[in-house]
Amino acid sequence: MFAQELVLRQRTEILHALCSSGSAERLEQVLDILLSQGELTWEDYQNIQVPGRTLYNSARQLLDLVYTKGVDTCRICLAALKQVLPEAQGVCLSYSECCTNLEEKQENQNTCTETILTQRPNLVNKLQGCIDGALNALVTSGHFTSVDCDEVQLPVYTPSQQARHLLDHVRSKGESAAKVILKYIEQKQESGSPVNQEKWTPPKEVLKYQKKLSSSVSAQSCFLSTYGGTSHMSLDDIYTEGQLELAHDCADVHGPLGLEDIVGAAGTVNKEADTVLVCGEAGSGKSTLLQRLHLLWARGAALQNFLLLFPFSCRRLNTEQREMSVQELLFQHCCWPDREQEEIFQFILDHPHLILFTFDGLDELKQSFSDEHRVCCPTQPAPVHVLLFNLIQGSLMKGVRKVVTSRPEAVGPVLKKHLCKEVLLQGFSPSGIDCFVKKHHSDPTVAAKVLESLQTNTALLGLCHSPVLCWIVSQCHKELLGCGEGSPQTITDVYLMILQHFLQHQSSLKSTTGLGWLQEHLKTVLHLGKLAFDGIGATCYIFSGTDLETCGVTEKDICMGFLIQSKDISSTNSKRYEFLHVTMQCFFAALYIVLSNNIDRSTIPKLFEPQHIRDTGLSSTCFMACLPSTDQQKLPLEAGDVAAETPNLQIAATFVSGLLSQRHRTLWLHCCPSAVMEKKVRQVARCLSKGMQKHFKSIPRAVEGEKKSMHAMPGFVWLIKCIYEMQESRIAKDAMSKLQVDHLKLTYCKIGPVECTALAYVLQHLRDPVGLQLDNNSVGDVGVEQLLPCMHICNSLYLRNNNITDEGIRKLLAKGIQCDNFRKIALFNNKLTDACTQHFSHLLKTKQDFLSIRLGNNNITEEGAKQLAEGLKLNRSLQYLGLWGNRIGDAGAEALADALESSKTLVWLSLVGNSVGSTGACALANIIKNSTSLEEIWLTDNCITRTGVECLIQALQLNTHVKSVWLRNNDLSLEEVEEMTQRESRLTF
Ligand code: ADP
């Protein structure tokens, strides 16, 4: 049959195959191929890609055009479809023998502009993982402006769309821009992959296996699994970049990481190890991130150094009771080779650098990581967790790259020893939230309304940094927009919103009985609650039909949408279910604790002491004591297993606190006796108070002359969050009444906006002012805003390394000015520029008791220093000013010197690393000349020459009060240093 006729006859099928996923990706890939083959002109392309046109209409337009262009174009179009569509979808299309393989267009084109056209599909693939770098190269070479970059990186574009827009822009800029981009890609390749460069092809059987594996990986990863029960959402359409950072400082890596950097060499701390850990809280998007990586690999759009990718879920590995070898693990749990299993496995063993394993959710494995039990032989059977631990350590399959995800609680020092690097997934950035909401709502007016409502409720906005909460909020937009003033404040509020949403929307009953929505569905909630509760006690997240039956879960309960069918490895197994998300399971467990009459009295106290459970090594058995004795016998628990359920118990406890909040009590009114409820409330309040006291008891006595300081122990922030969920100031006040410290240190405590909201809620009840040290967290601007309610109780605020921008500072200082106690601020290593200095200037002018400003390692220039100087001129109190590692230069130093010349309070000034030369130093010498208070001035790492130092020496001769002037690393010879040290001993070189 002629190709033309095939295109016509199969029109419906082709349209369906291209568009049914809702994602434009397939159509765009076909367009890329047709453009590169010269079958479409630019005009054709633009006529198809008309903005605002629906996907189906664009595809129809393409088919019309291809048909009118004749048989050759149709033949190539069919070949393109064959290449782009996954096998599963391609089978329903017939391509005929006239559809031959696509020709690789030669690279010997005359111009670079031609090359970017003929190599378009290839270049789109290559650019996806490095858009930032490519844009950088184009900006540096002067071809792109920031407007061009913004247009390319519109948040609604997927990475491949960004790559296409980038190429389109490059094309419009002409030959030299095309040259820059080709060179950039070439360099990128040279520095990156050692693979694929040799002209070497793997054996045919391996390639066949790869095809099968990648089409299975693609099929499993193209939809977001958690939407399975409710609606289909294509990953391409909804995926939003999360914030990825290295867990440790690394000199070579600046700024956020891209997806491909996870497996790349960047930030490696242990070259011997093969395992990368991606660490993030529940709901931060770890599984989704892996899913994205899987999909990009399967499509050939990323990780192309790896020929075979084997994805594993620890949750599913838990259900594997048999002992097996690595070979069985790979083939049975991921993809079965139709032929030549031995040959394929041998290939895997021989080429470890071409293989990638991913293990999602190490925290969900029943056993904690240990490196005691060694297995080195890939054909030796062992329990699955033992295999997994040996793979992670590299005693099995050394050289194979492994990416493991986990919640932080499950990562101990033994595991860390075996990691080549650790990457932190921090959820969505503020622009990520914006982007996600826009992607989630195809109607832009709805998206705008949701975003607007988030802007007016910053506590909720803070919660939306967690992707799972962002999803719930987007999903429940009707409830959100309808609730006006009473919009959700706490995590419990958000989960109650989705509970109501699902119960009312999925149920056919739709409140026919006139009861409250919860009362109407109480049975469902209790059935699911029991399932969740028992599951958490037994580290069980996948449930069989029997499990469901035992808890009374019916078909109707399943239909509510909280349970989804588990994607099982071996399709022969009967149906298994899991909760939409582990946090949903914790929420149902909490509902059960609150609503059930069958709960043991000790359940709540034990729930609030999970740390204790872990410490005693009793783990699950202890929690099992909370379960009715009949249930205990059913829970399988091998002796020696130390389950990883503590974080889930903590999440469940947080929900229990929230559910028992006064605000929600009317909801339970007709669901259980109020006396029972009151008792549970009292129990929780007692647990929280006791928990807090335990922390306070650990505070050591103050060393004489020093302030009494408390460093938060594990569990402190969690208790604070529980108190916040209760939203009862009586409880917060009670908890804080016993805390008597001068300094509260919460460094490296994973404090983000959500934690800031809770902290501010609780700390505002402190009796005496404290120094609040939140260094090295991820507070960000939203978190800063959340802290405002407790600013009046903070005398100093330390926010070093917290991703704060000028906007956050604007809000912080506007509030700080009104707070009598507020005297000191430290903001080392944030994202501050000259736009924040006017606010500091205003603070200095207004608050004549402010003592210390430290702004090191930001991006403040001469302009910023001049603004600061305006404030300093009128200030009579500042003692410490730190500007280490900015770029104020001579002019900035002169402005500051002029302002500080007559200061009677300045004790310490640091301008280390600020490109200050002798002009600046001579100006600063005037401060020394006149000051009666100055003790130290730091000028290390500048470019001061002899002239500058002479000025400083002369000034020092007039000042006996100054103790030292630090001048290491300036423009001075050894002889000069020697001579000047002789002349003035207070100079330190
Ligand atoms: P984790 O594995 O860290 O617990 P998940 O990956 O399961 O978190 O994410 C929970 C939910 O949040 C997902 O089902 C999805 O709805 C949403 N989500 C997470 N990450 C993303 C992302 N990058 N883009 C879009 N949605 C996301």
Side-chain angles (χ1 to χ4, degrees):
M1 201 184 293
F2 289 124
Q4 218 170 354
E5 206 178 330
L6 273 178
V7 169
L8 194 60
R9 280 216 196 156
Q10 300 185 99
R11 188 176 171 90
T12 317
E13 289 82 329
I14 297 176
L15 285 174
H16 182 75
L18 281 177
C19 309
S20 62
S21 73
S23 156
E25 180 62 21
R26 287 176 191 158
L27 175 65
E28 289 180 2
Q29 283 184 16
V30 172
L31 290 174
D32 288 343
I33 296 174
L34 294 176
L35 265 178
S36 69
Q37 298 280 325
E39 295 302 325
L40 291 185
T41 63
W42 268 105
E43 287 67 29
D44 295 334
Y45 182 70
Q46 277 159 350
N47 285 338
I48 293 168
Q49 294 280 62
V50 175
R53 179 184 276 169
T54 64
L55 182 57
Y56 271 98
N57 278 345
S58 302
R60 283 191 192 103
Q61 178 78 18
L62 168 71
L63 294 184
D64 293 347
L65 188 68
V66 164
Y67 184 78
T68 50
K69 283 192 179 242
V71 61
D72 285 345
T73 311
C74 286
R75 191 173 56 82
I76 298 205
C77 180
L78 286 172
L81 285 167
K82 193 173 177 185
Q83 183 168 320
V84 165
L85 296 176
E87 253 177 17
Q89 277 190 319
V91 282
C92 61
L93 292 176
S94 144
Y95 299 107
S96 98
E97 57 292 349
C98 60
C99 152
T100 47
N101 283 342
L102 289 167
E103 279 171 37
E104 263 287 307
K105 288 271 163 181
Q106 288 306 305
E107 283 198 45
N108 57 351
Q109 281 80 27
N110 293 335
T111 65
C112 296
T113 326
E114 280 172 29
T115 308
I116 63 164
L117 191 61
T118 56
Q119 298 297 313
R120 186 175 172 94
N122 218 340
L123 295 176
V124 167
N125 272 347
K126 286 179 180 161
L127 275 171
Q128 285 183 53
C130 55
I131 297 278
D132 281 348
L135 286 173
N136 230 340
L138 288 159
V139 170
T140 316
S141 62
H143 291 95
F144 267 36
T145 63
S146 61
V147 178
D148 295 323
C149 297
D150 288 348
E151 282 176 12
V152 169
Q153 284 188 304
L154 276 184
V156 287
Y157 293 154
T158 61
S160 61
Q161 285 172 331
Q162 292 189 359
R164 290 187 186 98
H165 282 276
L166 188 146
L167 289 174
D168 298 354
H169 266 62
V170 165
R171 187 183 164 276
S172 69
K173 304 273 174 186
E175 181 64 11
S176 67
K179 197 167 177 182
V180 168
I181 200 69
L182 289 176
K183 186 146 181 247
Y184 172 79
I185 292 171
E186 192 185 320
Q187 280 170 352
K188 185 95 189 157
Q189 271 189 313
E190 273 167 12
S191 64
S193 57
V195 196
N196 299 342
Q197 286 174 6
E198 336 147 21
K199 280 271 172 233
W200 165 84
T201 38
K204 225 164 71 210
E205 273 314 316
V206 174
L207 285 177
K208 262 196 190 153
Y209 180 64
Q210 185 214 27
K211 216 165 166 197
K212 182 171 179 189
L213 179 65
S214 66
S215 82
S216 130
V217 169
S218 165
Q220 281 191 20
S221 50
C222 58
F223 291 107
L224 248 191
S225 57
T226 54
Y227 293 90
T230 51
S231 59
H232 272 315
M233 182 69 89
S234 125
L235 189 65
D236 278 331
D237 289 347
I238 194 69
Y239 186 78
T240 306
E241 294 284 327
Q243 304 177 88
L244 279 171
E245 270 176 29
L246 285 174
H248 39 81
D249 286 334
C250 176
D252 308 334
V253 185
H254 301 286
L257 299 182
L259 268 188
E260 294 230 41
D261 294 327
I262 294 175
V263 264
T268 300
V269 281
N270 178 0
K271 283 197 180 133
E272 299 305 310
D274 309 316
T275 301
V276 178
L277 175 73
V278 178
C279 208
E281 300 294 340
S284 60
K286 300 178 296 293
S287 311
T288 314
L289 177 131
L290 277 192
Q291 202 178 325
R292 183 72 185 155
L293 275 179
H294 298 161
L295 184 63
L296 291 178
W297 171 80
R299 253 191 210 147
L303 306 177
Q304 291 306 288
N305 297 353
F306 299 101
L307 193 67
L308 301 174
L309 182 153
F310 294 93
F312 295 96
S313 146
C314 294
R315 180 179 279 208
R316 293 186 225 311
L317 292 180
N318 265 338
T319 59
E320 184 56 83
Q321 309 289 342
R322 294 167 296 169
E323 293 208 348
M324 50 174 48
S325 67
V326 175
Q327 180 170 358
E328 286 164 324
L329 181 74
L330 295 187
F331 293 163
Q332 290 181 18
H333 275 257
C334 290
C335 177
W336 186 258
D338 297 323
R339 288 166 39 190
E340 311 288 357
Q341 284 117 32
E342 293 311 319
E343 185 193 341
I344 292 169
F345 190 63
Q346 195 53 50
F347 176 88
I348 293 171
L349 293 178
D350 293 343
H351 299 87
H353 62 290
L354 297 182
I355 316 295
L356 177 66
F357 292 170
T358 66
F359 296 101
D360 189 24
L362 189 67
D363 52 288
E364 292 195 347
L365 205 69
K366 280 201 168 96
Q367 299 80 4
S368 295
F369 180 82
S370 125
D371 56 5
E372 278 162 18
H373 192 145
R374 278 286 158 99
V375 177
C376 304
C377 168
T379 49
Q380 179 192 333
V384 168
H385 70 275
V386 173
L387 290 185
L388 170 56
F389 298 160
N390 279 277
L391 287 168
I392 290 175
Q393 290 168 59
S395 33
L396 267 177
M397 313 284 275
K398 179 88 199 133
V400 169
R401 196 55 138 182
K402 295 112 192 168
V403 178
V404 177
T405 73
S406 174
R407 287 197 250 171
E409 297 85 354
V411 183
V414 189
L415 173 61
K416 289 204 180 197
K417 236 174 32 192
H418 301 290
L419 299 179
C420 73
K421 66 176 161 184
E422 185 180 341
V423 175
L424 303 179
L425 180 57
Q426 313 264 37
F428 292 152
S429 64
S431 61
I433 297 177
D434 203 79
C435 176
F436 177 87
V437 173
K438 285 181 180 154
K439 285 184 173 189
H440 196 273
H441 297 285
S442 46
D443 180 349
T445 44
V446 176
K449 277 190 190 154
V450 172
L451 288 170
E452 201 179 302
S453 133
L454 288 179
Q455 291 306 331
T456 58
N457 179 352
T458 48
L460 187 60
L461 181 65
L463 294 178
C464 286
H465 282 75
S466 160
V468 71
L469 290 169
C470 199
W471 168 68
I472 296 181
V473 167
S474 296
Q475 187 80 5
C476 300
H477 68 274
K478 285 205 180 108
E479 286 82 351
L480 178 72
L481 298 175
C483 60
E485 290 282 287
S487 75
Q489 296 287 317
T490 65
I491 302 183
T492 312
D493 295 350
V494 174
Y495 277 76
L496 275 172
M497 190 163 74
I498 190 117
L499 179 71
Q500 184 177 3
H501 175 88
F502 274 27
L503 291 180
Q504 292 189 326
H505 288 73
Q506 308 285 318
S507 145
S508 55
L509 278 172
K510 286 233 167 118
S511 220
T512 47
T513 60
L515 299 169
W517 60 268
L518 184 68
Q519 202 182 348
E520 191 176 317
H521 297 286
L522 188 60
K523 276 195 183 138
T524 299
V525 172
L526 285 172
H527 297 159
L528 294 173
K530 181 160 169 47
L531 186 74
F533 180 72
D534 288 0
I536 288 184
T539 326
C540 176
Y541 310 99
I542 297 185
F543 305 98
S544 66
T546 325
D547 294 332
L548 265 61
E549 228 168 83
T550 314
C551 297
V553 179
T554 62
E555 206 46 54
K556 186 188 129 218
D557 299 335
I558 298 174
C559 290
M560 293 295 171
F562 299 104
L563 287 179
I564 51 168
Q565 213 171 315
S566 175
K567 279 186 209 156
D568 233 322
I569 332 102
S570 42
S571 49
T572 49
N573 276 356
S574 53
K575 276 189 195 168
R576 288 166 177 271
Y577 294 89
E578 52 195 299
F579 280 88
L580 267 180
H581 191 255
V582 65
T583 50
M584 195 66 90
Q585 184 173 344
C586 297
F587 180 62
F588 271 97
L591 280 167
Y592 187 69
I593 294 170
V594 169
L595 291 171
S596 166
N597 296 325
N598 296 332
I599 285 290
D600 193 283
R601 282 176 55 217
S602 60
T603 305
I604 290 182
K606 282 183 177 152
L607 187 66
F608 280 86
E609 284 188 39
Q611 202 57 44
H612 167 71
I613 294 172
R614 167 140 291 196
D615 289 348
T616 55
L618 290 171
S619 199
S620 282
T621 22
C622 201
F623 191 73
M624 280 166 66
C626 314
L627 304 174
S629 55
T630 44
D631 293 338
Q632 288 179 30
Q633 293 141 18
K634 278 181 257 131
L635 301 175
L637 197 83
E638 279 173 40
D641 280 357
V642 182
E645 82 284 17
T646 309
N648 291 333
L649 295 182
Q650 288 196 336
I651 297 175
T654 315
F655 281 131
V656 167
S657 312
L659 292 172
L660 288 171
S661 156
Q662 182 76 44
R663 299 149 70 234
H664 298 311
R665 265 177 243 168
T666 47
L667 207 54
W668 323 124
L669 214 55
H670 301 289
C671 300
C672 51
S674 58
V676 178
M677 223 38 159
E678 290 300 332
K679 204 164 148 206
K680 289 181 182 172
V681 173
R682 280 198 302 276
Q683 271 191 314
V684 170
R686 213 172 313 128
C687 289
L688 292 174
S689 171
K690 257 173 70 185
M692 273 294 173
Q693 278 178 39
K694 225 162 117 192
H695 279 88
F696 302 156
K697 274 192 202 135
S698 71
I699 306 173
R701 270 210 225 119
V703 182
E704 220 181 275
E706 277 186 26
K707 291 192 168 164
K708 191 168 176 190
S709 173
M710 167 183 159
H711 196 306
M713 293 196 308
F716 180 75
V717 178
W718 162 63
L719 280 173
I720 294 268
K721 280 167 86 172
C722 291
I723 295 173
Y724 174 72
E725 289 294 314
M726 285 207 95
Q727 291 283 302
E728 287 183 38
S729 49
R730 181 179 53 88
I731 293 178
K733 216 180 257 172
D734 174 65
M736 286 300 102
S737 65
K738 287 152 206 140
L739 176 62
Q740 280 165 349
V741 286
D742 304 302
H743 192 88
L744 189 53
K745 206 168 166 188
L746 290 151
T747 53
Y748 292 103
C749 282
K750 304 195 179 68
I751 297 200
V754 179
E755 289 71 23
C756 288
T757 314
L759 264 179
Y761 178 81
V762 179
L763 293 185
Q764 61 182 310
H765 296 289
L766 273 172
R767 280 193 305 208
D768 299 316
V770 283
L772 181 57
Q773 190 167 353
L774 295 170
D775 299 336
N776 300 304
N777 285 296
S778 35
V779 170
D781 289 350
V782 182
V784 163
E785 205 171 340
Q786 295 305 305
L787 288 174
L788 300 185
C790 74
M791 279 287 289
H792 64 278
I793 205 76
C794 296
N795 48 30
S796 16
L797 196 50
Y798 301 84
L799 287 164
R800 300 178 183 105
N801 204 15
N802 262 302
N803 249 331
I804 297 166
T805 76
D806 302 321
E807 182 52 19
I809 291 307
R810 184 182 68 77
K811 291 183 179 156
L812 183 78
L813 297 188
K815 172 78 187 193
I817 282 173
Q818 302 160 16
C819 299
D820 290 344
N821 290 317
F822 182 47
R823 304 274 158 82
K824 294 180 183 173
I825 188 157
L827 288 159
F828 181 83
N829 212 18
N830 279 288
K831 293 185 169 160
L832 307 182
T833 71
D834 293 339
C836 78
T837 44
Q838 54 174 317
H839 308 301
F840 279 104
S841 183
H842 182 54
L843 174 93
L844 287 165
K845 285 179 198 166
T846 322
K847 262 184 92 61
Q848 293 297 339
D849 54 1
F850 210 78
L851 298 177
S852 170
I853 297 179
R854 295 179 193 247
L855 298 173
N857 222 20
N858 280 288
N859 205 0
I860 294 167
T861 72
E862 159 188 341
E863 287 312 311
K866 285 180 184 164
Q867 293 259 21
L868 267 182
E870 291 301 313
L872 288 167
K873 265 187 209 155
L874 300 178
N875 179 273
R876 306 275 165 274
S877 59
L878 196 79
Q879 297 180 349
Y880 297 85
L881 178 61
L883 284 164
W884 184 88
N886 282 284
R887 292 184 291 127
I888 69 161
D890 274 335
E894 281 180 305
L896 291 180
D898 185 40
L900 290 167
E901 218 174 72
S902 52
S903 166
K904 306 228 173 343
T905 53
L906 188 75
V907 175
W908 183 93
L909 173 67
S910 167
L911 298 179
V912 172
N914 260 291
S915 310
V916 177
S918 288
T919 318
C922 289
L924 292 167
N926 286 334
I927 310 181
I928 300 179
K929 248 185 229 162
N930 302 322
S931 173
T932 50
S933 52
L934 188 71
E935 293 180 6
E936 272 186 48
I937 179 161
W938 286 77
L939 295 168
T940 301
D941 288 334
N942 278 298
C943 42
I944 300 167
T945 60
R946 183 183 191 100
T947 325
V949 185
E950 289 289 354
C951 288
L952 292 169
I953 293 177
Q954 280 171 22
L956 281 169
Q957 282 163 1
L958 304 172
N959 185 327
T960 51
H961 201 258
V962 170
K963 291 184 184 140
S964 47
V965 178
W966 294 79
L967 282 162
R968 282 193 184 136
N969 255 342
N970 275 285
D971 282 355
L972 300 160
S973 67
L974 276 179
E975 295 72 36
E976 283 171 329
V977 166
E978 195 133 310
E979 178 213 320
M980 287 167 180
T981 317
Q982 299 279 331
R983 283 168 56 196
E984 177 52 71
S985 61
R986 286 174 291 171
L987 298 181
T988 310
F989 293 99

